[in-house]
């Protein structure tokens, strides 16, 4: 397919998506910036992201969790060192999908804000720091609690299935994080972490200014 035909297809798709959603996840101005920075195929990924979101507006929580997990798990894994030249960086959802690569934190962030856009109750969502016994490494996943006492469901870039935590014997939970607040799993007590606080604050600033 020629580049001209691809651009024409994307233009038609954008019109349809704009009509279906009064407030798209990525507005037209940001989409144009993404196209200039990451080129036409990246722009196409954002169109299909919006199409996926539009199809989920009236879905159940689990259907949203399942679809969002599968959508972002198609993005390639890449370490922060390889992608950004630094040991630890929390990318915005726009950077993550634009570059089409990222590490475990980036998958969690993208899924978290996608679910927020889809109307999920954000009190039900937590970032989980875990140890992966399979990969023998620190890892991050997103956890969903239907209610505070429920067994959480786990969204993981290493697994396309959303499973309850008790079915994920390969993950050993250490901390859970919500809006920059850290809780140690073994004690249930809040833990002060200036590093996590700084990372969360910087992420929110980058999202607010729509960093790509």
């Amino acid at each position: 397919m020629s580049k001209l035909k691809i651009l024409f297809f994307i233009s038609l798709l954008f019109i349809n998506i704009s009509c279906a959603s009064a407030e798209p996840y990525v507005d037209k101005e940001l989409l144009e910036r993404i196209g200039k920075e990451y080129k036409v195929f990246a722009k196409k990924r954002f169109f299909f992201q919006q199409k996926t979101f539009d199809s989920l507006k009236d879905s159940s929580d689990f259907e949203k969790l399942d679809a969002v997990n599968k959508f972002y798990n198609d993005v390639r894994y890449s370490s922060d060192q390889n992608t950004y030249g630094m040991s630890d960086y929390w990318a915005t959802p726009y950077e993550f999908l634009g570059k089409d690569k990222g590490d475990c934190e980036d998958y969690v962030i993208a899924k978290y804000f996608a679910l927020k856009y889809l109307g999920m109750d954000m009190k039900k969502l937590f970032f989980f720091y875990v140890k992966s016994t399979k990969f023998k490494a620190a890892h991050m996943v997103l956890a969903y609690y239907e209610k505070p006492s429920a067994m959480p469901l786990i969204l993981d870039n290493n697994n396309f299935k959303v499973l309850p935590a008790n079915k994920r014997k390969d993950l050993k939970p250490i901390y859970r994080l919500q809006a920059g607040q850290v809780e140690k799993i073994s004690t249930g007590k809040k833990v002060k972490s200036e590093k996590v606080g700084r990372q969360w604050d910087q992420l929110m600033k980058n999202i607010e200014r729509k960093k790509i």
Side-chain angles (χ1 to χ4, degrees):
M1 186 183 292
S2 70
K3 186 175 180 179
L4 183 61
K5 287 183 178 179
I6 291 172
L7 289 171
F8 178 69
F9 167 77
I10 290 175
S11 298
L12 289 177
L13 186 57
F14 178 73
I15 291 170
N16 290 334
I17 290 172
S18 296
C19 292
S21 177
E23 297 182 6
Y25 186 58
V26 175
D27 61 35
K28 187 175 181 180
E29 181 181 348
L30 179 55
L31 195 61
E32 291 305 314
R33 287 175 53 211
I34 288 166
K36 290 178 182 178
E37 179 70 21
Y38 298 115
K39 310 310 176 188
V40 67
F41 287 104
K43 197 172 179 181
K44 188 175 179 181
R45 287 194 291 273
F46 281 85
F47 284 121
F48 282 107
Q49 174 182 252
Q50 187 65 52
K51 187 176 181 180
T52 299
F53 290 173
D54 288 343
S55 72
L56 293 169
K57 285 293 186 181
D58 299 318
S59 300
S60 68
D61 276 7
F62 182 80
E63 288 169 330
K64 291 175 182 177
L65 294 170
D66 184 57
V68 165
N69 191 56
K70 287 175 179 174
F71 179 85
Y72 289 111
N73 281 7
D74 276 333
V75 176
R76 295 170 297 158
Y77 178 86
S78 177
S79 70
D80 286 334
Q81 193 64 52
N82 288 336
T83 307
Y84 297 100
M86 59 182 72
S87 61
D88 193 17
Y89 177 75
W90 288 14
T92 68
Y94 320 120
E95 293 172 290
F96 175 60
L97 195 60
K99 293 179 182 296
D100 193 31
K101 59 183 177 181
D103 72 352
C104 57
E105 291 96 340
D106 302 330
Y107 290 90
V108 170
I109 291 164
K111 293 171 187 180
Y112 178 86
F113 284 100
L115 291 166
K116 180 179 180 180
Y117 173 76
L118 291 168
M120 187 78 69
D121 181 353
M122 302 313 286
K123 293 179 181 178
K124 296 181 176 181
L125 296 174
F126 290 82
F127 294 17
F128 261 61
Y129 282 105
V130 301
K131 180 177 181 180
S132 169
T133 58
K134 180 179 180 181
F135 296 102
K136 295 181 174 59
H139 187 43
M140 185 186 277
V141 297
L142 186 64
Y144 165 88
Y145 289 79
E146 185 177 9
K147 54 185 180 180
S149 60
M151 177 66 63
L153 299 175
I154 303 299
L155 286 72
D156 182 0
N157 62 287
N158 291 325
N159 197 319
F160 276 80
K161 290 184 178 181
V162 176
L163 296 171
N166 60 356
K167 299 292 185 182
R168 294 300 308 273
K169 303 298 185 183
D170 58 314
L171 302 179
K172 302 299 181 185
I174 303 171
Y175 298 105
R176 72 176 187 175
L177 164 69
Q178 190 177 63
Q181 300 297 312
V182 181
E183 178 185 326
K184 192 170 183 179
I185 299 297
S186 61
T187 63
K189 294 182 179 180
K190 300 291 185 182
V191 178
K192 187 175 181 180
S193 173
E194 292 183 2
K195 179 182 178 182
V196 171
R198 286 196 305 270
Q199 287 172 313
W200 178 262
D201 290 343
Q202 187 60 56
L203 172 65
M204 295 307 295
K205 289 177 183 178
N206 289 343
I207 289 175
E208 184 178 357
R209 66 187 182 94
K210 300 178 180 179
K211 185 180 179 184
I212 63 170

